[in-house]
Amino acid sequence: MELGHFFYDLLVHNENFAGKSKDTDFSVYEDHQHPPITMLTCADSRIQGEILGMDLINKVFTVRNAGNQVARNKGSLAYALTALNTEIFFILGHTNCGAVNFAAGASLASVTKLDKHDETHSVEPATGVKKKNSGIQLASSKGESKIISMLRKSDFSAASREVQREMLPLTIPIERGIAKLVKIGDEKKELAYLSQTNVDYQVEKALEYYGDRVKEKKLAIVGGIYDFVGAYSNTKGRVVITNINGIYDKDKLQENARAFCEADAALDKSSESYKLCQKLIEEKVSRI
Ligand SMILES: [Zn+2]
């Protein structure tokens, strides 16, 4: 994009928004913000607020980093969750996440190196790093998924130290996920499964820090995946809920989602949109 074009878009389009101030009452939030939701999502450009289908101004306190990692922005999250007291913490990952793929490649590369080392030495490597995840060895056995083969060939060592430092914590959840890929046998689903495993891990971390607020019913932690490849269903662009407060059994998730809707007095239970919501729980509160 030419810089001139960027200036044009910024100046002209923002003016269109600013002009709306006749209709938009900025005075509601010019002194304070009152967001009910904190959203932690990936910095990926394909994720923008529009995917949630609602006006997010003054509703969503957004924190973003590569791979939607809780530990990377603890200060901003603590401010939103404990000073602004948002009631919902939504951790949103997505399909085809570059950070997740990076971590998967790095996990596989490191294990490959250890495997080679083990062939020639009977002692542990000098770094003291031990092979701790038998799942990755399983994934390297005969019948390896295409995605694993693809990730294994990627050269992730070319990334700068700063990039590596930010991505490598993701190898912890990703190593958990890799073991199961051979059983899935669908490339879209396999990559999405790794993103889903990362979200589960980030929900776990959030429960570590904010579990007390969840117990006191001051906070609900919701994990989800933005699926723009059609990994969860044939409808691309869906946001799928994959975890609620650490629950990741599909039936229990749906049961919880129904109970939350049922308990909300503001929802008109006889309306068509409520019936649609019930139907969508079947399809969009789901897991791979
Ligand atoms: Zn991403």
Side-chain angles (χ1 to χ4, degrees):
M1 178 186 266
E2 296 291 333
L3 193 53
H5 214 96
F6 168 68
F7 287 150
Y8 174 85
D9 280 352
L10 185 61
L11 298 173
V12 173
H13 294 163
N14 169 255
E15 197 59 11
N16 292 340
F17 172 77
K20 282 186 193 166
S21 59
K22 293 181 209 80
D23 307 317
T24 309
D25 186 3
F26 287 111
S27 66
V28 171
Y29 56 80
E30 61 191 9
D31 293 330
H32 302 284
Q33 58 170 330
H34 304 282
I37 302 163
T38 298
M39 178 165 73
L40 169 66
T41 189
C42 185
D44 193 297
S45 65
R46 293 165 291 186
I47 303 180
Q48 299 299 342
E50 294 94 307
I51 66 170
L52 299 182
M54 51 186 179
D55 176 12
L56 304 185
I57 294 178
N58 204 26
K59 279 192 191 141
V60 181
F61 186 100
T62 307
V63 177
R64 303 183 69 152
N65 61 48
N68 38 276
Q69 302 176 62
V70 168
R72 295 234 63 89
N73 294 93
K74 280 169 76 176
S76 298
L77 292 172
Y79 175 70
L81 298 168
T82 63
L84 296 176
N85 288 309
T86 63
E87 300 141 46
I88 296 165
F89 182 14
F90 185 32
I91 301 176
L92 180 64
H94 65 100
T95 50
N96 272 349
C97 178
V100 165
N101 293 356
F102 183 99
S107 294
L108 292 162
S110 114
V111 168
T112 304
K113 277 180 204 149
L114 291 177
D115 280 346
K116 280 182 187 158
H117 192 280
D118 286 355
E119 280 168 17
T120 50
H121 301 274
S122 57
V123 294
E124 290 295 339
T127 56
V129 177
K130 294 185 181 180
K131 280 195 291 182
K132 57 188 185 303
N133 190 324
S134 60
I136 295 185
Q137 294 165 40
L138 173 75
S140 66
S141 63
K142 201 180 170 191
E144 173 171 283
S145 84
K146 279 188 193 164
I147 287 298
I148 290 281
S149 307
M150 184 197 85
L151 292 169
R152 202 186 281 286
K153 283 179 200 144
S154 316
D155 180 14
F156 293 92
S157 59
S160 72
R161 188 169 291 188
E162 286 77 14
V163 170
Q164 293 198 26
R165 195 177 293 137
E166 191 155 318
M167 305 294 162
L168 289 180
L170 287 168
T171 57
I172 298 167
I174 296 312
E175 287 185 8
R176 291 183 190 174
I178 283 175
K180 302 204 174 162
L181 291 187
V182 286
K183 295 170 191 162
I184 296 175
D186 175 313
E187 289 168 43
K188 277 184 202 169
K189 283 192 192 317
E190 285 170 353
L191 274 185
Y193 182 79
L194 292 183
S195 295
Q196 182 181 284
T197 308
N198 178 39
V199 168
D200 288 341
Y201 175 78
Q202 303 304 335
V203 171
E204 248 176 59
K205 293 307 278 183
L207 283 166
E208 242 174 63
Y209 303 137
Y210 304 108
D212 288 350
R213 296 179 84 82
V214 174
K215 274 189 202 139
E216 292 162 16
K217 299 200 183 300
K218 289 181 182 164
L219 178 70
I221 302 174
V222 179
I225 296 289
Y226 172 44
D227 175 16
F228 53 77
V229 302
Y232 287 79
S233 71
N234 291 329
T235 308
K236 292 179 183 177
R238 281 183 160 177
V239 172
V240 182
I241 294 168
T242 57
N243 194 317
I244 302 173
N245 294 334
I247 295 166
Y248 45 81
D249 172 81
K250 186 178 158 187
D251 292 337
K252 283 195 183 136
L253 271 176
Q254 293 185 348
E255 207 176 289
N256 270 264
R258 278 192 206 96
F260 282 123
C261 290
E262 190 65 34
D264 189 336
L267 296 174
D268 175 3
K269 310 295 186 308
S270 61
S271 69
E272 284 306 310
S273 56
Y274 189 81
K275 282 176 200 156
L276 175 63
C277 174
Q278 294 297 305
K279 182 177 168 285
L280 289 174
I281 284 174
E282 294 282 329
E283 297 174 28
K284 296 171 72 175
V285 181
S286 185
R287 286 184 62 92
I288 288 173

